[in-house]
Amino acid sequence: MTSRRRFLRDASLAVMGAAAVERTSLAALPDAATRNDASTARPLAPPNGRPYRPVVTLNGWTLPWRMRNGVKEFHLVAEPVVREIAPGMKANLWGYNGQSPGPTIEVVEGDRVRLYVTNRLPEATSVHWHGQRLPNGMDGVAGLNQRAIAPGRTYVYEFEAKRPGTFMYHPHADEMMQMAMGLMGFWVTHPKDPSFMPVERDYVFLINAYAIDPGSRTPRVNEMTDFNLWTWNSRAFPGIDPLVARQGERVRIRIGNLTMTNHPIHLHGHEFKVTGTDGGWIPPAAQWPEVTTDVAVGQMRAIEFDATEPGDWAFHCHKSHHTMNPMGHDVPTMLGVNQREIATKIARIIPDYMAMGETGASMNGMEMPLPENTLPMMTGTGPHGPIEMGGMFTTLKVRHDLPRDSYRDPGWYRAPRGTVASPWQGSTSALPSTHRQPASAGKTGVKS
Amino acid sequence: MTNTLFPARMSPRQTAAAPPFASPHGQAGRRAPLAIAALAALVLSGCATFSDDGGFAPVAEAAQKRLGQPAVWARDDATAQALAKERDDLLTRPLDLDTAIRLTLLNHRGLQATYAELGIAEASLVQAGRLPNPRFSFQRVQGGGDTGIERTWGIDFVRVLTMPLASRIEARRFAQVQAQVTQAVVEQATQTRRAWIEAVAAQQRVQILEQTTLATQAASELADGMARAGNFSAMRRTQENLVYADTAARLARAREQATSTREQLARQMGLWGQQLSFTLPARLPDLPRKRPAWPGAEAQAIRERADVRAARAALDATTSDLGLTRVTRFVNVLDAAYRNNSETGRPSEHGYEISLEIPLFDWGSTRVAGAEARYRQSVDRLADTAVAARADARTRRAQTLAAWDIAEHYRTTILPMRQRVSDEWLLRYNGMLASVFDLLGDAREQRDAVLGYIDATAGYWLADAAFRESLGGGEPEGVEASATAAPTNPHQHGGGA
Ligand SMILES: [Cu+2]
């Protein structure tokens, strides 16, 4: 896991649509740092202000700030970006400061925060600071609380980060379009007291989904249910980095859902507790153990566990379609249909035709040419073969020898001898007997 | 036997060629054969015998020039047998368009019957050029106890007098028959050309439909399997079965078309019986690679078309028969308009009557007035025919170029795009983004695009056949188009008649 962060001195160098923004008008603003890399950046240790343990944004980064007269100043630039969803596929999205989602904003409870928002989109936007207590005029609902930010204009928001917890930011102007295009970001307000609920690793990501037709690059923004790219921080497996932890470390994962459906997020090998919601931290007495927590639409969840079990543990949404990449939702089931004779007939008209699906949808690792800029439906290979998953899937890698504060991918887990499921080598007589239900006497004949 | 001896009023040429004769009666009658022999030698040399080829040479030459194929007149059994052998040899190979036309020229009995017109016309011509046989008559009269015996040497004197004129008219009629036979050859070749294009296109459509019927059959069988496995409802399955049933109906219709167009072709080539087992090439000829340019189409039409030639011949006949002396001036005007056409001498009469009259009361002024009017009428008829011929050639050229554009559009744009869509479907199928039914549905759409291309190609060749016909039957004379196939205004070379 490498992290390459490039802060360009001159914001207008790195971003598109700069023409509308006058340089002189930006002279007094903090740098609008930008990034063109979709890997997970190292946590940004706070260079000034109150101390805290920084979070790690999965396949993302944290926005640097400047202190000015005791105020933390950030500069967000809303703009079109090209985001790599996974190797082999790039999407035309809208984001902030070079990426979609935008960079994570980290502040400390009680901080005075000033946020400059420059609009380099072709239409007006605004920013809503989801979950914050703030003056009504800073809540970012265009029309209700403020004028929308016209293209080329810079607005400034200012409030005190009163409540520690897990938040998001996203537009509240033409949001159907702007959220479907990926305009969103994560916000963490750390507690003033660093010893409050301390963890060794604090991962954050947003759940989002896109409808990008195979062979195209821009989302269909009017789609409501038939999404084909189920992503975390606009990344699909195998494009999602693993979450790594040193054995025994306390790990927190904060998840925000900005899709239009719920996602049961499931962790293998460990139980966790939901310790935080949008509303704040949950008192220990109210927490209960889970291996799956449903993150409803528009919600935030913080889950915590002790990474006690070494290995590579699957971590994914439990809706099976959400761990798939683009697939044809109108493709009929071929299961149980012998196509051999028919295939030779079809091959006379479609020479490259090959029958598929008779025994299941698995491609068994076979790679076939696809439409350009399209991810395979099932992809990713593990140490034991094809993983055959995509979308909202990654791994939690727990190692006893991982250095503290290292976020390097340690590679595949080497299981101790005798701890991996393996073929039975003995005789079948040694197997426990199988008991079968007697066949149903009902009429089950299928007419053909 | 008439005794009228006055010569007809003749043009200076004719007058020089046919001097009046003295009476053959009485003593003079003995000298008449000598005078007539001299006249025959003077006027009719070369015209009074049958030609070796029955006058077919100009027809054969025109067929070779316009159709690029020889025409042969089977005037005897040996030739007929040779032609039959050539026909059978030609039938062993797939019949390309040239071979089909060649077969037509050799084998079509209707054409052979038309060739016989030449023989009939030539017989008239030769007869008109031969002196009538002299006649000897003997008369014995008895009355009032008197018996008179009169012996007379006689000859059909009016015929002798009018023989140069008659020969000339018969020669013109013969040329006219030659022109008509040539036209019949051209028309028959056009019929064969059309029939061949239709037959090959129909056969090609059958091929395409057979292929895709296989695809829809596969889809139908697959739908059966899907239903058996519990993956398809009765409705979905029947929908796929229905597509197959529909394609089978289309195939049956296409096969019927192929049969009847093939029959039509066989008929145009005059084939029957064993000869019907001929094979056709699998595909229509490719389009010309470059967009053709035919700047000389109008000139070619004026030069070659039968109707223009006939109108011109009618004018020439009027000119010479009526003995107009001021004709040259008008002809020059015409020649300026049709400078590509200097060939003359085709008659248009369908019969004739020659009378000799005595210029006793009218010394010809009314005749001259009427002749001038008839002459002007012929000029106008020719001009009118030429305007129509030019318009026809331009229209056919424009239609042929448009047909080329459409077929080329199919070839270079629609078919590659169709292929691209099919490639993309396959990629989607690979990614399980599309099903085999999508592939098969696309194969049907591809079939329709290919059928559209076949129609467009056949459309081009049919337009080409009509264009050739509008030019008098020959291949359009053109310059190679520039390297770019960019369409040009097809009317840019047009002009008035
Ligand atoms: Cu999900």
Side-chain angles (χ1 to χ4, degrees), chain A residues 214 326-328 331-335 337 342 345-346 348-349 352-354 356 361 363 368-371 377 446 448, chain B residues 211 214-215 217-218 221-222 225-226 228-229 231-232 237 426-436 439-440:
Chain A
M327 55 193 284
V331 173
T333 307
M334 306 304 291
L335 194 63
V337 182
I342 292 157
K345 278 185 190 162
I346 296 173
R348 284 172 62 178
I349 323 146
D352 293 335
Y353 174 74
M354 202 185 70
M356 290 193 285
M363 301 290 291
M368 298 181 82
L370 298 179
M377 182 171 122
V446 178
S448 63
Chain B
Q211 266 181 22
L214 200 71
Q217 186 191 12
E221 287 171 6
L222 188 56
M226 298 284 281
R228 272 196 300 275
N231 304 354
F232 262 9
R237 169 195 182 171
L426 192 63
L427 293 179
R428 280 170 187 245
Y429 175 76
N430 288 346
M432 292 190 199
L433 301 157
S435 76
V436 60
L439 292 187
L440 293 168

Side-chain angles (χ1 to χ4, degrees), chain A residues 262-263 317 319 322 392:
Chain A
N262 63 311
H263 299 276
C317 174
K319 288 187 177 175
H322 295 188
M392 297 173 173

Side-chain angles (χ1 to χ4, degrees), chain A residues 120-135:
Chain A
R120 283 176 182 157
L121 297 171
E123 68 166 350
T125 188
S126 73
V127 185
H128 165 59
W129 316 97
H130 183 117
Q132 307 275 359
R133 283 180 172 257
L134 35 61

